[in-house]
């Protein structure tokens, strides 16, 4: 077993253990492999080990990978855009990705809706919540969610699937869980209003256990699968 396959197996085991501890089924939680800055060869190893959902932060890099693997007939892969999205890059996301996790204003949602090709399924989108109220983070406040969700849900080429957040680092499990529960409560309320809502993208390597216990349905894991990133390239 190669390193990436081994790492994936370990991460899946951790997800399963975390789910079992809180009485959930591991099948309820999707593992999103964060492959930003990683070469196609590393993604190919993950695909060979059964991974199908990948997250990219940089638009052009993600598009290049999507096109490359489309050529190799890996047609069942899911590509998620999980980085901040500038208006001038929205068309590339609309035309190539399956998901966008970082909707935080109507302008971006409207552009994605207008630019999504009619021949493709609707783009799955998540509204990003700035749950820790950090100036450095994208996302909206929880009290802005109802209004934006109603506007996004009305766009025909988008499908509102749920919420995403990147909480501030917390040293204690209790604090991680408290923040994650805030997100889970908002997610449950949204799910009660929109039939398409089924996804809470919450939890990374350091807070995955608390996120799963709180109700996350998707965790975003990068370094634990692919190793440390090299940003010098």
């Amino acid at each position: 077993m190669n390193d990436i396959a081994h790492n994936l197996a370990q991460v899946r085991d951790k997800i399963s253990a975390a789910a079992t501890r809180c009485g959930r089924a591991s099948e309820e939680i999707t593992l999103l492999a964060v492959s930003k800055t990683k070469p196609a060869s590393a993604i190919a190893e993950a695909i060979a080990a059964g991974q199908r959902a990948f997250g990219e932060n940089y638009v052009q890099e993600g598009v290049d990978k999507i096109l490359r693997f489309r050529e190799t007939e890996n047609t069942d892969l899911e590509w998620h855009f999980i980085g901040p999205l500038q208006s001038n890059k929205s068309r590339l996301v609309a035309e190539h990705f399956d998901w966008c996790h970082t909707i935080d204003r109507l302008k971006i949602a409207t552009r994605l809706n207008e630019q999504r090709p009619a021949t493709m399924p609707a783009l799955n989108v998540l509204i990003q919540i700035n749950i820790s109220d950090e100036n450095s983070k994208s996302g909206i406040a929880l009290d802005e969610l109802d209004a934006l969700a109603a506007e996004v849900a009305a766009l025909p080429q988008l499908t509102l699937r749920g919420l995403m957040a990147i909480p501030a680092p917390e040293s204690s499990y209790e604090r991680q869980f408290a923040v994650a529960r805030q997100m889970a409560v908002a997610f449950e309320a949204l799910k009660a209003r929109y039939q398409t809502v089924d996804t809470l993208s919450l939890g990374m390597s350091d807070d995955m256990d608390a996120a799963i216990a709180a109700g996350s349905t998707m965790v975003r894991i990068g370094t634990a699968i692919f190793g440390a990133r090299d940003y010098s390239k």
Side-chain angles (χ1 to χ4, degrees):
M1 185 183 289
N2 63 40
D3 287 345
I4 289 174
H6 174 73
N7 293 346
L8 268 169
Q10 285 195 318
V11 170
R12 289 178 184 137
D13 285 346
K14 288 179 181 177
I15 291 171
S16 181
T20 299
R21 280 194 294 273
C22 60
R24 298 180 65 193
S26 59
E27 292 79 18
E28 295 175 25
I29 300 133
T30 298
L31 171 58
L32 184 63
V34 179
S35 45
K36 66 177 181 181
T37 79
K38 292 301 176 182
S41 57
I43 296 173
E45 289 183 35
I47 292 169
Q51 182 62 27
R52 289 295 177 268
F54 295 91
E56 291 287 332
N57 285 57
Y58 308 113
V59 176
Q60 190 58 60
E61 178 190 339
V63 170
D64 290 345
K65 291 173 181 175
I66 291 168
L67 294 175
R68 172 164 183 162
F69 284 100
R70 197 171 287 158
E71 290 173 359
T72 60
E73 297 183 5
N74 285 292
T75 55
D76 62 339
L77 303 183
E78 256 186 20
W79 293 94
H80 297 239
F81 184 73
I82 59 174
L85 182 55
Q86 299 168 326
S87 296
N88 63 347
K89 297 287 182 69
S90 63
R91 182 176 295 279
L92 287 171
V93 171
E95 292 180 346
H96 296 282
F97 282 84
D98 303 298
W99 289 69
C100 180
H101 287 222
T102 50
I103 301 296
D104 62 359
R105 56 198 188 280
L106 180 60
K107 178 184 176 182
I108 282 289
T110 301
R111 287 179 67 90
L112 289 170
N113 178 68
E114 292 169 349
Q115 294 166 342
R116 184 70 167 178
T119 54
M120 296 179 73
L123 178 68
N124 298 297
V125 299
L126 302 177
I127 293 174
Q128 183 172 356
I129 304 295
N130 188 348
I131 194 64
S132 303
D133 194 25
E134 294 177 278
N135 291 333
S136 61
K137 294 261 177 72
S138 302
I140 61 169
L142 276 177
D143 61 9
E144 300 173 273
L145 173 57
D146 288 352
L148 184 57
E151 291 169 329
V152 171
L155 297 171
Q157 288 299 103
L158 306 184
T159 298
L160 177 61
R161 297 291 294 271
L163 304 177
M164 183 274 260
I166 308 170
E170 300 284 357
S171 55
S172 75
Y173 175 90
E174 290 74 20
R175 183 64 190 146
Q176 290 175 351
F177 180 79
V179 173
R181 273 307 298 166
Q182 283 185 276
M183 284 297 302
V185 168
F187 168 62
E188 291 297 332
L190 196 69
K191 191 159 69 167
R193 288 201 301 278
Y194 299 99
Q195 290 185 338
T196 57
V197 169
D198 60 4
T199 301
L200 176 57
S201 174
L202 182 70
M204 297 184 283
S205 295
D206 293 338
D207 62 353
M208 179 179 76
D209 284 13
I212 290 172
S216 173
T217 70
M218 182 180 288
V219 293
R220 308 180 304 269
I221 308 295
T223 302
I225 296 171
F226 295 108
R229 297 187 183 95
D230 181 1
Y231 288 103
S232 64
K233 294 178 181 177

